[in-house]
Amino acid sequence: MFESLSDRLGKIFEGLRGRGALNATDVDNAMREIRRALIEADVSLEVVRAFVEQVKERAVGAEVTRSVTPGQQVVKIVHDELVAVLGDTASPIDLNARAPVTLLMVGLQGSGKTTTTAKIAKRLSEKNKKKVLLASLDTRRPAAMEQLRVLGEQVGVDTLPIVSTETPVEIARRAEREGRLGGYDVLILDTAGRTHIDEELMAETVAIKDIANPHEILLVVDALTGQDAINVARSFDGRLDITGIVLTRVDGDGRGGAALSMRAATGKPIKLIGVGEKMDALEDFHPSRIADRILG
Ligand code: GDP
């Protein structure tokens, strides 16, 4: 197990109790530990650098109150700053638009996109009492379309019947029409993914966006992809102007650093986290909880 950042900082600051304010040397020592903790939490180096600078500015000269040690004081500054960068409050999916409200799911193959699509459908249908329609636009992989149909059935939500000769844009059009005429509240479009960023796929997804006019574009990212996830997030956001992120496999991501990298790279909120393979393993994202985990 890692020694928690709080413990490490406690050691650095031993004997400094009762000092009026933190000086630059105290803060430099603390920053080394903070940098290490963030890197261990798998936050990308670029984000670590920017973050440490920010914390340093706030920490030098900060008053040390009597009730806490300088170590605790720095931990609090880091915690507050993490929460600020992660987005302060939870950011739910926005359904405030004319029905059918369209959600476009994008991301690399294997990121958990189809699973997450079905999880969101289940949650909206059961908790929010919405009538949901699912459609897969992954025309290159019939198995992916079938997977969504099976998951839809499992969570009790309708899927658009599969017509194997249609293009993704044609399916998006048909889904919109079916969503409107069928009285659906929400339409979730699951797009094709590749194993890496690919220009042809991006162009196809942009064309789908233009037709579907989605209210939310949710990028699904695997929290375990670490440093690479930041490039993925930037590429998708650059082309599609995503509205939010769903981080998957957070159940296997011990320290939660991917959240900080994703948020810092795109400035877009993390809306939900996937915490397992089961259909109800989807949670709201709480910045303060992830900040606690990163700090250990
Ligand atoms: P897609 O190619 O992006 O559509 O990926 P899938 O939805 O098919 O997911 C790939 C694998 O990841 C499946 O075995 C899922 O069960 C699994 N998976 C998806 N989300 C999570 C998660 O939050 N936690 C865990 N442990 N597994 C997940």
Side-chain angles (χ1 to χ4, degrees):
M1 272 313 279
F2 303 102
E3 191 182 5
S4 82
L5 182 62
S6 316
D7 291 345
R8 288 191 216 158
L9 290 178
K11 277 184 199 152
I12 292 183
F13 287 114
E14 247 166 46
L16 293 183
R17 201 187 292 261
R19 260 255 251 345
L22 300 176
N23 69 29
T25 317
D26 305 335
V27 173
D28 273 341
N29 287 338
M31 288 310 135
R32 246 202 329 269
E33 291 303 326
I34 293 163
R35 194 173 290 124
R36 226 166 70 190
L38 294 174
I39 290 168
E40 279 169 10
D42 210 16
V43 179
S44 80
L45 286 177
E46 181 192 332
V47 173
V48 171
R49 263 185 223 118
F51 183 80
V52 167
E53 276 313 304
Q54 242 163 292
V55 171
K56 203 163 155 180
E57 263 174 41
R58 278 196 54 193
V60 177
E63 291 283 315
V64 181
T65 46
R66 271 179 201 288
S67 54
V68 296
T69 66
Q72 288 166 333
Q73 181 94 356
V74 174
V75 168
K76 183 170 180 330
I77 293 171
V78 176
H79 184 273
D80 292 351
E81 205 59 34
L82 278 174
V83 171
V85 174
L86 287 168
D88 279 322
T89 52
S91 175
I93 290 181
D94 180 12
L95 295 178
N96 218 338
R98 219 170 86 192
V101 182
T102 302
L103 316 180
L104 187 66
M105 309 296 294
V106 300
L108 292 184
Q109 191 175 317
S111 60
K113 200 157 21 69
T114 303
T115 310
T116 303
T117 301
K119 285 178 179 177
I120 292 176
K122 178 176 159 68
R123 167 190 273 234
L124 294 180
S125 119
E126 287 179 5
K127 265 203 201 155
N128 305 57
K129 306 291 172 217
K130 299 290 181 191
K131 186 174 173 189
V132 182
L133 178 65
L134 298 175
S136 169
L137 309 183
D138 195 349
T139 51
R140 289 182 199 82
R141 291 195 311 139
M145 299 184 119
E146 179 59 16
Q147 184 195 355
L148 186 68
R149 190 193 66 72
V150 170
L151 290 177
E153 207 169 273
Q154 196 181 318
V155 299
V157 163
D158 293 341
T159 37
L160 189 75
I162 297 170
V163 176
S164 59
T165 52
E166 282 180 335
T167 64
V169 164
E170 285 168 343
I171 301 174
R173 278 208 193 93
R174 182 160 59 92
E176 195 280 329
R177 196 170 54 241
E178 177 61 27
R180 202 162 17 90
L181 301 178
Y184 289 92
D185 302 307
V186 182
L187 166 63
I188 313 182
L189 300 175
D190 183 17
T191 61
R194 296 269 173 87
T195 48
H196 58 278
I197 295 290
D198 167 300
E199 177 44 37
E200 191 194 343
L201 181 75
M202 277 295 171
E204 177 184 297
T205 315
V206 170
I208 292 166
K209 175 187 171 182
D210 291 344
I211 288 294
N213 192 24
H215 191 58
E216 291 257 24
I217 302 177
L218 299 175
L219 173 66
V220 180
V221 192
D222 179 348
L224 300 181
T225 37
Q227 306 279 329
D228 201 33
I230 208 166
N231 299 324
V232 170
R234 280 218 182 94
S235 307
F236 275 93
D237 191 38
R239 291 300 297 272
L240 293 163
D241 191 17
I242 62 172
T243 59
I245 295 167
V246 182
L247 267 189
T248 59
R249 297 209 181 80
V250 174
D251 48 310
D253 175 25
R255 298 297 291 276
L260 185 64
S261 302
M262 291 296 93
R263 171 76 201 206
T266 62
K268 301 296 167 66
I270 295 157
K271 300 213 156 189
L272 296 162
I273 55 174
V275 293
E277 299 200 45
K278 294 218 178 82
M279 285 297 116
D280 51 9
L282 183 73
E283 295 177 2
D284 291 326
F285 174 71
H286 294 290
S288 145
R289 278 187 217 159
I290 295 283
D292 288 342
R293 260 171 73 177
I294 292 174
L295 289 178

